[in-house]
Amino acid sequence: MLTKMNRNMLTLRLTCTLAVLAGILQTDLLDAAPLQVGEADLVPSVRIGYSSTSNAFRSSTNQLESTGVIVSPSARIIAERRGLELEFGYEGRFGSYSVDELNFDDHELYFNANALLGARKRAEFRAFLAQGHDDLGEGTTRGVAGIGDEQVRHVSAGIEGSYTFGAKTARLNVTGGLLLETFDYQNRSDILLGRDFSEISPYGEVSFRLSADTRATTEIRLRSVNSDSGLYDRIE
């Protein structure tokens, strides 16, 4: 049988090995030249991480050790033509833990478009669809998580558009934009009933160039949140 000291040494060696492996994969793949796909560039990457915790559920009464491996693949397709830059991407995050309740798989698809409309005019557009989770013992399950519990799963989607007046190198840039987003919980109605919400956020931004590589930025944003139950509505 392994003694406690031997087990700790084995865990430490495994942690170091995975950390080194993750570093190699990130360096090799992230620094690789983009792949040509027609007139676009494909940029893939993979990250591998190792996680260890002495209290998986962040609980004062149910403390349980857990270790896990997190794999994060991503891919971006980027195309540029005549002042228009388009980007479509995917980001994934998969976690496998010694405590099954902590396993997860998150996904996000996104689309970005940047258009140069003139010497002093730029427009940007962003759209996204994401499936994610809240770690047990944090956020909505803080203090109430334990063995057998489901992680909180949620889906969010949104679009954002903005218009900027001023060249990138100009001393003064002024931007106005609008964000629309929905956020829906997929389970745990026992604690999350009525918490799904939609958000409208108009904003304005003024950017002033202080030097060749330094800018001062001021932003004003209004956030209006409307929840399904009406109990969590707010304006910020």
Side-chain angles (χ1 to χ4, degrees):
M1 294 179 61
L2 290 173
T3 65
K4 183 176 181 180
M5 179 176 294
N6 288 337
R7 286 198 301 269
N8 290 338
M9 291 179 65
L10 180 61
T11 301
L12 179 60
R13 289 171 183 165
L14 178 60
T15 302
C16 293
T17 301
L18 287 172
V20 171
L21 178 59
I24 292 173
L25 286 174
Q26 288 187 54
T27 300
D28 288 347
L29 292 181
L30 289 177
D31 291 344
L35 305 175
Q36 197 72 29
V37 181
E39 296 184 359
D41 292 330
L42 172 63
V43 185
S45 69
V46 177
R47 291 181 174 88
I48 298 178
Y50 175 78
S51 174
S52 177
T53 177
S54 60
N55 190 352
F57 301 113
R58 284 78 168 173
S59 171
S60 60
T61 59
N62 183 27
Q63 297 186 12
L64 185 66
E65 293 183 358
S66 175
T67 59
V69 176
I70 301 171
V71 180
S72 303
S74 68
R76 297 184 298 151
I77 297 178
I78 304 172
E80 296 184 38
R81 188 173 185 182
R82 294 181 181 178
L84 178 63
E85 179 180 320
L86 303 177
E87 178 182 356
F88 178 78
Y90 165 80
E91 293 184 359
R93 194 164 177 265
F94 304 85
S96 179
Y97 288 81
S98 57
V99 176
D100 290 342
E101 286 83 354
L102 303 185
N103 295 342
F104 65 86
D105 59 290
D106 296 342
H107 311 272
E108 180 177 3
L109 292 171
Y110 62 88
F111 172 75
N112 297 324
N114 299 319
L116 183 62
L117 305 178
R120 298 182 180 180
K121 301 175 183 177
R122 298 182 310 240
E124 297 183 2
F125 175 81
R126 177 174 72 100
F128 66 90
L129 174 64
Q131 173 186 289
H133 77 287
D134 292 343
D135 290 335
L136 285 172
E138 295 186 355
T140 52
T141 59
R142 183 181 297 276
V144 297
I147 295 176
D149 286 347
E150 282 186 286
Q151 287 180 337
V152 172
R153 306 287 303 172
H154 47 73
V155 171
S156 59
I159 58 173
E160 179 179 3
S162 66
Y163 176 84
T164 299
F165 180 80
K168 289 185 178 181
T169 57
R171 185 172 294 275
L172 182 67
N173 279 193
V174 179
T175 300
L178 178 67
L179 168 66
L180 305 175
E181 182 177 355
T182 62
F183 193 98
D184 299 317
Y185 290 104
Q186 303 298 296
N187 62 347
R188 298 304 302 270
S189 59
D190 55 318
I191 59 174
L192 297 171
L193 186 63
R195 286 180 176 258
D196 296 350
F197 67 88
S198 60
E199 172 186 339
I200 301 176
S201 296
Y203 60 89
E205 180 182 289
V206 176
S207 174
F208 186 80
R209 180 170 58 83
L210 302 177
S211 65
D213 56 359
T214 304
R215 300 190 75 93
T217 301
T218 299
E219 181 182 279
I220 299 176
R221 182 181 295 263
L222 175 67
R223 185 170 182 245
S224 176
V225 178
N226 296 286
S227 63
D228 283 1
S229 66
L231 299 175
Y232 306 98
D233 293 359
R234 61 191 182 276
I235 296 178
E236 301 174 343

